[in-house]
Amino acid sequence: MTHTVFGNSNVVLQIVKESFDILYGLNEWQYRAEYLAHISKLSAVCSSWYNILAPKIRSHAVLSISQAPKRSMLRALTARSFSFLGGISAPSSLEKAVVKINGSALNYVTNIPEIVQRGVGRVQSLVVSLEEDMLPDHVSACLRESGFCRQPWPRIKNLCIRLAANTDIVSHNPDLSAIELVSQVVFKHAPYVQGFYIASNRAAHRGSTLPMYQMLQEQGPWIRRIRMPQCVRGAGVWPIDNLSALTMSIGSDLPAEQVPVVASHMIQILDLSNVEPRDLERLLGSGSVLFESLRVLEIRFRTHTVTTVAHELDNDNVALEFPRLETVRIYGFQQVAPLFLLHAIERAPVRHLFVDMTIQNMSTLDITRLPHLHTLEITMAFTRNLQPMLDMVFASSMCLERVVLKAQVVSDGLVPELTRLRNLRYLKLEVHVRLEQIQPLVKSLHRLVELDVVLAFDSQYDRLITIEDAQVIVCKQRNTASTSLQVLRTRYRRDICVGDMVSRLGADLVALLASFKSVLRFQCIDSRQNVHKLIAQMLANPDVMKVAQHLGGLDVCSSSTY
């Protein structure tokens, strides 16, 4: 049976975007798969999409290798590999084996023999999970024993090497040479790899570097996308002419002259983290530089390592040009960002802007010079002064359709101000909003389709009442609003249902939902089952049914994070 939500194209489109994490720029298949699997259990609609797309996600091969013969570690490593690929359970014919090399016992788990038996033609991706500090010889032996090296893999387009921390050994500067070995072997047998990804679950890897410059240069004609939490050492310009997407962290101990300069011709997505502001000029190229294809630029500055003032970064000799730049994200706990970067952004046709106002001179960015701006996300940490944030929002209020505001404050004066943003279709407030402010806000924003809010703490919300008392509260809801709102997401620190009782917040939320006849989807911190049960109990009352009948078809989605 098709869920009622599928009758609304706008909501379906948004759910698809959520399922593929497109809003956050994670456009590669393995990140989409991981997120899609996570949400597949959260709502009926997500489950439907997962069932449709699961066969596509399964076009992968997996090899998990662990050093110690500990079943618990082996199970954990294997589970991480398959959950990384979308929460897919391991195949029934999964092969487990132990290889002994020079007295060391290695465990590996793989589905490669099964894939070889049925044909490698459909396999488009390979994921290799390793423990950090694993010796290259050991990894090479497991690759041979698994059967990977016995035939070519002409259809593999994506290689992901996932590093799993050894829980018994804390290594702050791990040996990553095994990564280079795996890459060399895979590139030899799968010569048409276009996407090269390194995933790590330990932040310490961000300070490490990889001596892979020559190897990537040899593979260069085919490589299109690189994503890694480490930095590659190598002087000069990146050796890959056709590189279209690069995600890389700059090693803290790596001199700037040993970091490859980003090539500017073909690259479309550039994501640099752990960047020292004063090194940005060298990374992007000095003088007049044209990034003619760049569409997405994301920079995360290193946290306050060098005291810098704005005039030190105001270099008149740098003239960056981004004629096709659409999305910009700039984050980091730094005093200033280079002015030549801000000026280049002002000259670009930016549609989506994500900025961190913790960077003190970010308020000088003149967004009135961005006439095409569609999305604005502003983060302000450790502040109670919202004025710089508001000034930036209202400077472009006429064209904005999506706004996200993040600040750890209660927004008593903010919500009334936001009613001026008449074109908004999506609003996310990670400032603390009072529940009673939501209905007036939605009524004022006639085009608003989605609203995502963090609710301010109120001790009255936590008071438990009976279902009968909650039904009375909902029946008093006579102020039905004619709105465009289709999706409402709320976050609060506690559940709305406790046993057979319901919190006052739960009753007020159902009353609020009852006032929006257009709403089709609701998400909250509580479980999907609890919310469905609460709504069903409410609708059992004929008087509640009169004012809230539309809630019977509500697609409820639970959220696991506050």
Side-chain angles (χ1 to χ4, degrees):
M1 180 177 177
T2 303
H3 196 278
T4 55
V5 172
F6 280 100
N8 187 287
S9 59
N10 288 330
V11 177
V12 170
L13 178 61
Q14 178 57 32
I15 293 171
V16 173
K17 286 183 177 180
E18 285 181 356
S19 301
F20 287 90
D21 220 359
I22 291 172
L23 297 179
Y24 299 95
L26 300 180
N27 295 315
E28 304 306 336
W29 67 273
Q30 69 271 32
Y31 295 96
R32 297 198 299 260
E34 185 174 24
Y35 189 75
L36 177 59
H38 169 68
I39 70 171
S40 65
K41 302 178 181 65
L42 301 184
S43 83
V45 175
C46 292
S47 297
S48 298
W49 280 114
Y50 183 73
N51 292 334
I52 293 170
L53 297 168
K56 176 67 175 176
I57 298 171
R58 289 189 174 95
S59 61
H60 62 271
V62 173
L63 173 62
S64 296
I65 307 172
S66 63
Q67 293 174 325
K70 297 179 181 178
R71 293 185 178 181
S72 59
M73 183 177 295
L74 181 60
R75 283 198 300 268
L77 186 60
T78 307
R80 277 195 295 267
S81 298
F82 282 98
S83 66
F84 179 64
L85 290 169
I88 302 167
S89 58
S92 57
S93 58
L94 190 70
E95 180 175 310
K96 303 179 183 180
V98 177
V99 179
K100 291 187 177 180
I101 303 174
N102 298 328
S104 298
L106 299 174
N107 296 271
Y108 74 83
V109 180
T110 184
N111 62 346
I112 289 177
E114 175 197 8
I115 290 173
V116 170
Q117 190 173 24
R118 68 170 188 257
V120 301
R122 294 185 178 180
V123 176
Q124 299 180 17
S125 305
L126 171 67
V127 172
V128 180
S129 289
L130 311 171
E131 289 180 3
E132 62 183 31
D133 294 316
M134 185 166 284
L135 296 176
D137 290 345
H138 292 181
V139 174
S140 180
C142 287
L143 283 167
R144 291 194 304 271
E145 291 293 327
S146 70
F148 177 81
C149 301
R150 295 172 189 168
Q151 64 281 308
W153 298 77
R155 297 292 299 276
I156 287 184
K157 297 295 189 293
N158 300 292
L159 168 62
C160 177
I161 302 174
R162 181 154 192 170
L163 289 176
N166 187 325
T167 55
D168 295 335
I169 304 173
V170 179
S171 177
H172 296 286
N173 188 23
D175 181 4
L176 304 178
S177 56
I179 292 180
E180 188 171 13
L181 181 280
V182 170
S183 306
Q184 289 172 340
V185 173
V186 173
F187 289 159
K188 179 179 178 180
H189 295 275
Y192 305 117
V193 169
Q194 297 179 9
F196 179 54
Y197 312 94
I198 299 176
S200 171
N201 60 355
R202 190 192 289 275
H205 293 156
R206 295 186 178 277
S208 305
T209 57
L210 292 168
M212 303 174 66
Y213 193 79
Q214 183 176 355
M215 183 195 67
L216 290 172
Q217 188 174 26
E218 294 170 356
Q219 188 69 15
W222 293 103
I223 289 288
R224 299 290 184 273
R225 300 172 301 277
I226 296 177
R227 184 184 185 97
M228 58 181 68
Q230 298 85 6
C231 183
V232 172
R233 293 194 300 270
V237 178
W238 264 90
I240 303 172
D241 293 336
N242 296 323
L243 188 65
S244 64
L246 173 63
T247 299
M248 183 178 67
S249 176
I250 309 302
S252 301
D253 300 327
L254 192 65
E257 59 272 12
Q258 293 187 25
V259 180
V261 176
V262 177
S264 60
H265 177 58
M266 295 292 293
I267 196 158
Q268 298 177 30
I269 301 173
L270 179 60
D271 182 347
L272 301 175
S273 59
N274 200 32
V275 177
E276 189 68 58
R278 61 176 56 183
D279 293 337
L280 190 63
E281 176 185 347
R282 186 190 176 280
L283 287 171
L284 299 182
S286 58
S288 180
V289 183
L290 174 64
F291 285 81
E292 57 185 292
S293 302
L294 192 66
R295 295 184 294 104
V296 178
L297 175 63
E298 181 161 347
I299 297 176
R300 298 178 187 86
F301 289 114
R302 193 174 298 169
T303 300
H304 287 306
T305 54
V306 178
T307 301
T308 310
V309 294
H311 68 81
E312 294 179 1
L313 300 176
D314 187 11
N315 192 338
D316 294 333
N317 296 322
V318 181
L320 301 177
E321 295 296 336
F322 306 123
R324 291 181 174 85
L325 186 62
E326 296 182 355
T327 302
V328 177
R329 296 180 177 89
I330 302 178
Y331 302 112
F333 292 97
Q334 276 286 347
Q335 291 180 329
V336 293
L339 295 181
F340 65 80
L341 174 64
L342 302 185
H343 294 160
I345 293 171
E346 293 171 352
R347 295 190 296 269
V350 176
R351 288 179 52 81
H352 312 285
L353 179 63
F354 304 77
V355 296
D356 189 343
M357 298 294 285
T358 307
I359 302 173
Q360 295 177 11
N361 67 336
M362 191 58 65
S363 58
T364 65
L365 181 65
D366 185 3
I367 63 174
T368 62
R369 300 180 63 180
L370 303 177
H372 307 290
L373 196 63
H374 171 278
T375 303
L376 179 61
E377 178 176 312
I378 303 175
T379 300
M380 294 186 70
F382 315 118
T383 182
R384 293 190 173 275
N385 180 16
L386 290 177
Q387 199 56 49
M389 177 186 286
L390 295 176
D391 291 343
M392 182 168 280
V393 170
F394 296 130
S396 58
S397 61
M398 296 303 294
C399 54
L400 286 176
E401 294 187 14
R402 297 178 60 88
V403 169
V404 178
L405 304 179
K406 300 179 180 181
Q408 297 300 313
V409 294
V410 177
S411 60
D412 287 331
L414 172 62
V415 173
E417 291 281 345
L418 292 176
T419 59
R420 295 161 51 186
L421 305 178
R422 298 295 183 178
N423 289 321
L424 275 190
R425 296 181 61 83
Y426 176 91
L427 177 60
K428 182 174 182 179
L429 298 175
E430 291 193 13
V431 294
H432 295 173
V433 177
R434 302 189 190 280
L435 185 63
E436 59 270 19
Q437 294 177 310
I438 293 179
Q439 190 181 75
L441 177 64
V442 173
K443 281 185 175 182
S444 300
L445 300 176
H446 300 294
R447 301 186 63 194
L448 190 66
V449 175
E450 300 174 50
L451 177 62
D452 186 334
V453 296
V454 174
L455 296 175
F457 174 75
D458 188 329
S459 59
Q460 290 298 312
Y461 290 167
D462 299 331
R463 184 166 58 88
L464 297 179
I465 59 177
T466 64
I467 292 295
E468 292 74 20
D469 290 338
Q471 290 172 338
V472 171
I473 292 172
V474 177
C475 286
K476 291 180 180 179
Q477 178 55 258
R478 295 288 186 265
N479 192 16
T480 302
S482 176
T483 71
S484 300
L485 189 70
Q486 296 167 358
V487 180
L488 176 63
R489 298 179 178 88
T490 62
R491 280 168 286 171
Y492 189 68
R493 63 184 68 187
R494 294 178 186 168
D495 292 344
I496 62 176
C497 300
V498 180
D500 294 330
M501 305 288 283
V502 58
S503 68
R504 176 58 193 257
L505 174 64
D508 288 343
L509 278 173
V510 174
L512 179 67
L513 290 168
S515 71
F516 300 139
K517 298 297 184 182
S518 57
V519 70
L520 296 173
R521 195 169 199 234
F522 174 63
Q523 180 176 358
C524 69
I525 192 71
D526 212 334
S527 71
R528 174 187 172 194
Q529 291 78 10
N530 279 350
V531 177
H532 273 307
K533 178 182 176 181
L534 173 61
I535 291 176
Q537 289 174 324
M538 293 287 199
L539 295 179
N541 184 316
D543 294 330
V544 174
M545 178 64 78
K546 292 179 183 178
V547 299
Q549 182 177 0
H550 60 286
L551 297 185
L554 192 68
D555 180 51
V556 176
C557 183
S558 60
S559 172
S560 60
T561 57
Y562 168 59

